[in-house]
Amino acid sequence: MKSIKLAGVLGILLLLSACFSQTEYERLKISSTTWIGYVPLFYAKEKGWLEAYNIKLTHVVSLAENMYLYEAGSADAYVGTQYEYQMLVNKIPQLKPILFFDRSNGGDMILANRSIDAIKQTQQIEAYLELDSINNFLLQDFIEKHQITAQINYNNRDQAEISVLNAKDHDAATIIVTYDPYQYQLQSNGFKEIASTASIDDLVVIDALFTTQATLERHQEQFKVLRKMVDDAMLALKKDPKAFYETVKLNLRDVRYSDFLQSLTKID
């Protein structure tokens, strides 16, 4: 009887200990888009590392939605480029980068249903992109570099909507601004890459994790551990790329392993 009572007491103590460990850290919410450079975060999520420190990673399909989610207070931090940061810092001056991930070296790109020469000769262009994002900066740089004078009809769409476009359904000159891994479906649908951050020398795109100093201080231990998780994930990627891919592929629209390896070459 005593042994049963003792076992019961030990069970309650273990349960209380588990509950305490789960609530030891205040919930830290991070918003992220689908981008090849964020695979360390996806790996940490799938491995259960984030949950152990009460970190929740929210996955969205739009750069603008990612930014607005943070602005609305639905996320404590977000990952994005310096261009989205420049748009937000005017409203939130305390915003700053706290963890850098990569530099795009071909991962942000422009696809089209015509060649650059053909586009330069057309009178009207249908452009599909996320307006409040790096997409717009990339497009404007492309227009200026190639001295395109056509009238442009801007179609503001998220990448999930953009990725299902098919070249055969577009008779007019069509330009799509997208990023890895969304280009694979678009290329299968007949669009061709005509420019990227690998060929536009004067456009530097950096991806980082952004938050305010106050949030950094409030979640200091979690952000510190998160940095270690990112480092450990990169070591896992280097050690066994195939196993890493199998862990994160659902976060990358289930791209093929060969495409995954190709995507990694488009970031530094």
Side-chain angles (χ1 to χ4, degrees):
M1 179 64 72
K2 289 183 179 180
S3 62
I4 294 176
K5 289 182 178 179
L6 180 60
V9 171
L10 289 174
I12 293 173
L13 290 174
L14 288 172
L15 180 61
L16 290 173
S17 175
C19 292
F20 175 77
S21 63
Q22 290 177 359
T23 58
E24 182 178 0
Y25 295 99
E26 181 185 351
R27 188 70 149 177
L28 173 59
K29 296 173 289 184
I30 300 175
S31 179
S32 169
T33 55
T34 302
W35 164 247
I36 186 63
Y38 303 147
V39 289
L41 292 178
F42 304 152
Y43 187 83
K45 182 189 71 172
E46 296 300 333
K47 284 294 186 179
W49 298 350
L50 300 181
E51 184 179 355
Y53 287 86
N54 204 14
I55 301 173
K56 177 178 175 57
L57 184 66
T58 299
H59 212 147
V60 299
V61 296
S62 163
L63 293 165
E65 180 186 359
N66 191 39
M67 185 172 58
Y68 297 149
L69 198 65
Y70 177 77
E71 187 178 3
S74 298
D76 302 302
Y78 75 98
V79 284
T81 74
Q82 76 270 33
Y83 295 96
E84 290 87 45
Y85 163 74
Q86 289 170 1
M87 297 178 68
L88 269 182
V89 75
N90 292 327
K91 301 177 182 178
I92 311 173
Q94 304 84 5
L95 193 64
K96 68 177 188 178
I98 63 169
L99 178 60
F100 291 94
F101 284 93
D102 62 82
R103 180 179 73 89
S104 176
N105 187 22
D108 294 271
M109 63 207 71
I110 296 177
L111 281 65
N113 60 351
R114 299 184 185 181
S115 67
I116 293 178
D117 288 338
I119 289 173
K120 291 171 68 174
Q121 296 173 17
T122 193
Q123 299 298 312
Q124 187 166 343
I125 297 172
E126 291 291 326
Y128 292 85
L129 71 161
E130 296 179 56
L131 280 172
D132 294 334
S133 74
I134 176 59
N135 284 184
N136 201 10
F137 289 92
L138 184 60
L139 179 58
Q140 298 309 317
D141 191 279
F142 175 80
I143 291 171
E144 182 179 347
K145 180 178 180 180
H146 294 284
Q147 299 180 333
I148 294 173
T149 58
Q151 178 181 345
I152 300 177
N153 182 29
Y154 292 90
N155 297 274
N156 189 19
R157 302 284 191 276
D158 66 43
Q159 292 300 327
E161 294 174 296
I162 291 173
S163 65
V164 299
L165 297 176
N166 198 305
K168 68 180 182 181
D169 298 327
H170 295 265
D171 295 327
T174 302
I175 286 178
I176 294 173
V177 189
T178 189
Y179 53 88
D180 202 297
Y182 291 100
Q183 82 276 16
Y184 294 116
Q185 184 174 351
L186 287 163
Q187 289 169 339
S188 296
N189 292 347
F191 291 98
K192 306 294 183 183
E193 182 180 318
I194 58 173
S196 76
T197 44
S199 59
I200 303 177
D201 298 331
D202 58 344
L203 187 65
V204 178
V205 182
I206 304 294
D207 290 279
L209 176 65
F210 298 92
T211 192
T212 62
Q213 181 63 33
T215 301
L216 177 60
E217 292 175 359
R218 190 168 71 249
H219 297 277
Q220 186 174 11
E221 184 62 27
Q222 288 159 295
F223 281 122
K224 181 179 178 181
V225 172
L226 182 64
R227 182 182 295 272
K228 178 66 164 53
M229 291 178 188
V230 169
D231 291 341
D232 289 345
M234 293 306 294
L235 288 175
L237 173 59
K238 184 177 181 180
K239 181 180 180 180
D240 192 340
K242 188 63 164 62
F244 188 99
Y245 159 78
E246 292 295 340
T247 302
V248 304
K249 65 180 181 180
L250 293 181
N251 296 273
L252 294 171
R253 299 173 61 82
D254 206 18
V255 298
R256 297 176 301 179
Y257 180 56
S258 58
D259 291 335
F260 171 71
L261 295 179
Q262 179 64 28
S263 295
L264 292 175
T265 68
K266 297 179 180 180
I267 55 175
D268 295 330

